[in-house]
Amino acid sequence: MFEVKKLFVSARSCTVELPDGGLYHTKKPYRLTLNGEDAGTAETVVHTLYGLWPETKYTLKVFDGDKEVGRASIHTKEESFTLNVQRFGAVGDGVHDDTPAIQAAINVCPKKGRVLIPAGKYRVLPLFMKSHIRVEIQKGATLLLETDRTKFPILPGMTRSTDETRDLNLGSWEGNPLDMFAAMISGNGVEDVVIYGEGVLDGQGDKGDWWINHRTMRGAWRPRMLFLNDCEDVTVQGLTFCNSPAWNLQPYFSRKLKFLNVHVTAPADSPNTDGFDPESCTDVLLAGMHFSTGDDCIAIKAGKLYMGATYKTPTSYMEVSHCLMENGHGGMTCGSEMAGGVNHVTCHDCLMRNTDRGLRIKTRRGRGEQGVIDEIVFENVRMENVGTPYVVNCLYFCDPDGRTEYVQSREKQAVDERTPRVGRIAFRNVTATGVACAGYFLGLPEQPIECVEMENVSISCGADAKPMVPAMACGVPSVSRKGLVAINVEKVVMRNVTVTGQDGVKLECENVAEVDEG
Amino acid sequence: MDTMAWFKKYLGNHPPHDRLLPEAEWAVRVCEKLYRRTGDAAFRAHIVGCADAMVMWGNVHPGCWRALFFALAETGEAKYREAIENVMRKAWRDTLQHPDDLHYLCDELPFRMAYEMRLGGMEKVGLVAAGFRQICQKLRKEDTGLYGSLSGTVRLLLALLDAIGICSDQLYEHWRAMVDLYRAGLTAALSAEKEDQETEAMLVYAIHEGVRMGLIDPERYLPIARKRIAALRAAGHETAAAMLEMEGGAW
């Protein structure tokens, strides 16, 4: 028996956790019943049930064969009205522009009401959420994002207040308040919103010109799939996001967020199609997510210097559990835009497969003294064919000035208001196989990484692992069958750490004050 | 008046090697914008001619540094890059040592920003922004908010606009620091007593550029600019008014 944990209950859906010891997938399939009726099979630890009725009590039972192994009581929430977008004129034929109909339904939806998008193909321009509503995108429904950028609204980076004393920040690009095309789904200052269902949101990045000459700003910076700015209590449940023009899901200066059982996919060679990029957010839960992207699966951010120093808002108290990260550059990344700080992030019970890196911390001189990365914990994580499972890189060569002497110098610089800091990073019960480099920790000479803790960690180098540059900083060579490397680190703690298959030593140190292998 | 015809006649009467021409800076500015807008080779020729003159003299005519970067981008000829590098080889002056030397500042900092963004790998963009900040802090008068005199403030506004226009907004903290200095200086300048007509023309230009670059609210500032340009024209300062009009395109 295990305890079935309820992660989220809405009026018509419920996400539960079936903790049988599996990471993303359960160790075996489980048969489910709701009030004695068949409710399908669960094959993932985090599982969502749809088609529930509002304000109804259910008993969920979980069976392994005929044996009941878990149960939970579910009481669904209230729902006031359902507004079907087809009643508002949406056609759903993939040709007609259904934006006005869907937006109208959203705008007039009463509190606790549901906007229902039934099966069909809906061609849309950016849509804007409002507070206290639920939007269900049902199985068989696909929203197709318009590909012509000239039709997109632009959200300005900064707008001055009428009395010229304040700024309104609506747009963002890579940590700076810059003009951007509105996301496929935008929330600005909204609260109590649920967006859920088994439908698909297709950004059609593969069909428009978003991925062509992508580093050049044309009109505004590229849109995301979901952008939540200054939002609170928002849950996204079950949907599939694919082919984003740029980053997929970006909550921004928002709080109390849940992303459950969401699938995010993009071709492996698509540019900057990060899966999930919370920026200056707090109290964030990601559970049962599946990522397969062209860039980092999860990239935790907190702005570049201006935003970090001005608003001093870190991303903090974030939990990532039972997720599958595949392909792309990094499994879970912090930075490189982290000037507001990133702290208290736990990634546990996750599986990473075929990503370049596993945990990847990226920062650089110029991110500022607010830019502190601290209390990052990796626990019960398995990595398969991950090039370098652990990378902390404080000399990341990003941004227009990323390769300058100031950023890349290996000489000790003055610690000042532009110097970021990396505190404690911990890895427990982690296995990594088929790696090229066991780990690469590159601190700043003037501000070494404070502490890297590894406990019950097993890393095996792949005999045929593709050589790779473990950290994107000037002068870091391509390697394969390489052990752990620590440069400019205060303390390395290693307890029950095994590295196998490497050429040379297990741990190579340069300017490391203390190695504790007790 | 047909301002385009007037301006072309003006260029014909004032060849680029006329190094003493006080409006040389304006002519280059206007030519660059008109060339971008119309593609008319006469404007390009004037700027490249100005750059050639500076290569020949071995130094940069005040306000005309942009001609060297323009000529380098347009022709790719090494002599322009060499001329730029020659200026860069001269030591940075300590801005705190020479805070009142606005003449130096208004040429050197935008020139250095252009160098950093186009040729120098952006290594010292932060130093250029910091240079502006130091100068403004040093010169700022508590009672008026001006950076020294009104004319000095306006020169500084133009230098800031040049640097802001060149700097990538992806280096946001530097870009924004300069924008904030510009906005504060403009507010002070608009509250100050008017000085000479040249200063007034430059101030109108500073407003217009700020609006064009999206730094200030057109609804608030364009009527101010229009009123002031009308006053300039009414006062007979036709050259400045015409230049501003050419510069502004559709006001």
Side-chain angles (χ1 to χ4, degrees), chain A residues 36-48:
Chain A
E37 302 275 323
D38 177 40
T41 304
E43 296 185 348
T44 53
V45 173
V46 176
H47 182 83
T48 300

Side-chain angles (χ1 to χ4, degrees), chain B residues 29 65-66 106 109-114 117 125 128-129 132 156-168 174-175 178-179 213:
Chain B
R29 279 180 192 275
W65 54 268
R66 74 189 65 244
C106 295
L109 289 180
F111 177 87
R112 287 191 178 273
M113 181 62 85
M117 294 307 301
V125 170
V128 178
F132 276 116
L156 201 40
L157 293 181
L158 298 194
L160 279 162
L161 286 166
D162 282 341
I164 292 164
I166 297 160
C167 182
S168 165
H174 304 312
W175 182 87
M178 294 187 290
V179 170
M213 292 162 70

Side-chain angles (χ1 to χ4, degrees), chain A residues 158 160 162-164 167 173-174 176-178 215 221 304-306 366 399-401 403-406 418, chain B residues 117 120-124 126 168-174 176-177 180 183-184 187 215-217 220-221:
Chain A
M158 286 293 199
R160 274 181 116 191
T162 306
D163 66 1
E164 301 189 329
D167 283 318
W173 179 253
E174 294 186 340
N176 283 324
L178 301 176
R215 298 305 303 175
W221 292 103
K304 288 182 183 164
L305 185 61
Y306 181 82
D399 305 335
D401 61 342
R403 291 171 194 267
T404 59
E405 179 63 15
Y406 168 70
R418 291 169 63 80
Chain B
M117 294 307 301
M122 306 180 204
E123 182 82 27
K124 292 175 179 166
S168 165
D169 61 4
Q170 289 183 76
L171 299 170
Y172 192 83
E173 66 273 21
H174 304 312
R176 177 61 188 255
D180 287 345
R183 286 171 171 168
T187 302
L215 310 179
I216 51 176
D217 178 12
R220 179 189 290 257
Y221 288 96

Side-chain angles (χ1 to χ4, degrees), chain B residues 14 22 49 90 96 111 120 149 152 173 182 193 203 206 209 215 231 234:
Chain B
H14 300 86
K90 293 173 188 167
L96 287 177
F111 177 87
S149 65
E173 66 273 21
Y182 159 78
E193 286 288 321
L203 179 56
E209 274 295 271
L215 310 179

